Each structure stands twice: as structure tokens, then as C-alpha cells.
Amino acid sequence: EPEVTQTPSHQVTQMGQEVILRCVPISNHLYFYWYRQILGQKVEFLVSFYNNEISEKSEIFDDQFSVERPDGSNFTLKIRSTKLEDSAMYFCASTYRGYTEAFFGQGTRLTVV
Amino acid sequence: DAKTTQPPSMDCAEGRAANLPCNHSTISGNEYVYWYRQIHSQGPQYIIHGLKNNETNEMASLIITEDRKSSTLILPHATLRDTAVYYCIVRGNTGGFKTIFGAGTRLFVKA
């Protein structure tokens, strides 16, 4: 069964450093998303991406965040200067169409120290 | 997207049916009911969705009331591996396509 894959599974970084989280969405999907989940809290939407541009973003997704689809398979989330409060699980998801069911990756646990 | 209300937690005996309720009284005509679950800290997993008819797949059944203001997810024979947080989400087929997660129902399946 096709799946969304994320790397790395765990990333530890120092405050102020840049991190790039990587995702390979399901190959024929057209819409891509990033979510995050701070420990013990809800899953929160960050950004959606379609046709090589951001289609929607939340208040969390400020100038420190960016997304990119550098080639035909990868979808990345970059945090420019990490803060302690960026520590969370980050989930990538994809959908075939915007309104079809979302498939999520297993997440990257980001720890900022 | 319409708001949903779910009980915070439920217990179920292994091998019995787990019936998870969800209220979505403000649902509009083009909004679907989706169910996902999250086992421990894994990525959310799609279970099933429906518009107004009852739906069944290999994982679960979804029963939607005639007025569409509530629904029930049924796991017919719960196993210990079904212990998870279950999210009921209402989502339209136009406009923003993000999935908005609430707190969900934490289902404990006990031996």
C-alpha cells in the first residue's frame, strides 16, 4: 500500500539553527500538507501546498517557516531559526484531490535544545 | 468547517463492538464526516468517511443519522491494537482542504 514517508524520524537541533524536514508524499497525490503536534496537545494545521504554491497557511506558519517541492517527489518544511517552542512532532500529509482523504506520514520528532 | 463534539474517553472490552459517537449539529450540505485515529504518537490514520449514507470498509462502519447531525463509528470487534485517539472531523469538498483536528475520543480497549 502506498504511504507517505518522512525523514528523519527524530531530529535534535540547537536553538537558532535551521532545520529541514523531508517528506515523500504518495506519488499520484496533488495536495501536500504539514501539521504539527506539541506533546500532549492537538494536531495543528500548518500549511497546504498545491500546484507549487502555498494554498493556505495557519497563524503558526510565520516567516520562520517555508515549504518547497524541490523535485517531483520531495516536499520539505524548513524552519529558519528554531525556537524551543518549535519542539513537536511534525506530520506531512497528502491527498489525491483537495477533498479526498488525507494520508499522513509517521512524523518527525523535532527537539530543540 | 462545522464543529464536532466527542466524548473525551471511552472503554471497550476486547472482542466487543466499540461505538464512538460524534455530534456535528451545524454540518452543512456539502460537508463530509471523516474519521481518523492516532495510535500513540504515530501519524493520524484515515478510517472512513461518508456524506449521508452509511458506509462500511474493512476497518469500520460509519452510521450517519438521517438529519446528519450526528454519527457513530463502529469497530465491530475491537482489539487491543485499536486503543487510540479517534477523531471525528467534518470537512467540505470545496474551499480550504485542511483537516482540523479536535481533541477526539481516547478509546481504551481492555482485555
Side-chain angles (χ1 to χ4, degrees):
Chain A
E1 184 177 307
E3 59 180 14
V4 176
T5 57
Q6 292 186 240
T7 54
S9 57
H10 192 183
Q11 172 101 41
V12 181
T13 189
Q14 290 203 325
M15 195 167 50
Q17 294 296 302
E18 174 184 285
V19 293
I20 297 176
L21 309 183
R22 302 179 192 280
C23 168
V24 179
I26 293 173
S27 61
N28 66 339
H29 283 191
L30 302 175
Y31 294 76
F32 315 112
Y33 312 81
W34 283 101
Y35 295 79
R36 79 170 187 192
Q37 186 174 32
I38 295 170
L39 188 63
Q41 298 187 23
K42 297 178 189 178
V43 178
E44 301 173 287
F45 167 76
L46 292 179
V47 66
S48 58
F49 191 86
Y50 169 70
N51 202 24
N52 276 322
E53 60 182 27
I54 291 173
S55 48
E56 190 174 3
K57 60 183 180 179
S58 72
E59 292 175 354
I60 303 167
F61 194 88
D62 61 22
D63 292 344
Q64 292 299 310
F65 292 88
S66 62
V67 289
E68 194 178 32
R69 188 153 162 82
D71 52 42
S73 59
N74 291 284
F75 179 51
T76 61
L77 174 70
K78 182 193 290 186
I79 309 175
R80 271 181 256 287
S81 177
T82 50
K83 308 184 189 71
L84 295 176
E85 54 265 37
D86 294 327
S87 294
M89 283 289 287
Y90 287 80
F91 296 110
C92 174
S94 67
T95 59
Y96 174 59
R97 300 273 189 217
Y99 53 83
T100 52
E101 61 271 25
F103 290 85
F104 288 78
Q106 288 306 296
T108 293
R109 180 173 298 282
L110 177 66
T111 303
V112 182
V113 296
Chain B
D1 292 328
K3 186 179 166 63
T4 63
T5 304
Q6 298 178 253
S9 67
M10 293 182 64
D11 289 345
C12 177
E14 189 179 21
R16 304 297 294 268
N19 296 279
L20 293 95
C22 179
N23 285 319
H24 31 78
S25 57
T26 60
I27 193 169
S28 60
N30 69 340
E31 290 181 318
Y32 287 72
V33 180
Y34 283 80
W35 284 83
Y36 289 82
R37 72 180 182 183
Q38 188 175 26
I39 297 172
H40 194 46
S41 293
Q42 296 178 23
Q45 179 189 21
Y46 165 78
I47 301 172
I48 198 167
H49 75 282
L51 184 63
K52 51 185 176 182
N53 297 323
N54 299 336
E55 302 288 343
T56 296
N57 63 20
E58 65 279 2
M59 288 183 70
S61 294
L62 174 61
I63 309 297
I64 303 174
T65 58
E66 194 169 338
D67 63 8
R68 303 211 319 126
K69 291 186 177 182
S70 65
S71 61
T72 301
L73 179 75
I74 301 171
L75 307 178
H77 306 286
T79 70
L80 299 178
R81 288 176 295 178
D82 292 321
T83 293
V85 179
Y86 287 77
Y87 301 100
C88 169
I89 294 162
V90 170
R91 187 161 160 248
N93 61 359
T94 59
F97 297 125
K98 60 184 181 288
T99 301
I100 301 296
F101 290 85
T105 295
R106 187 171 293 276
L107 175 69
F108 296 95
V109 180
K110 300 184 175 180

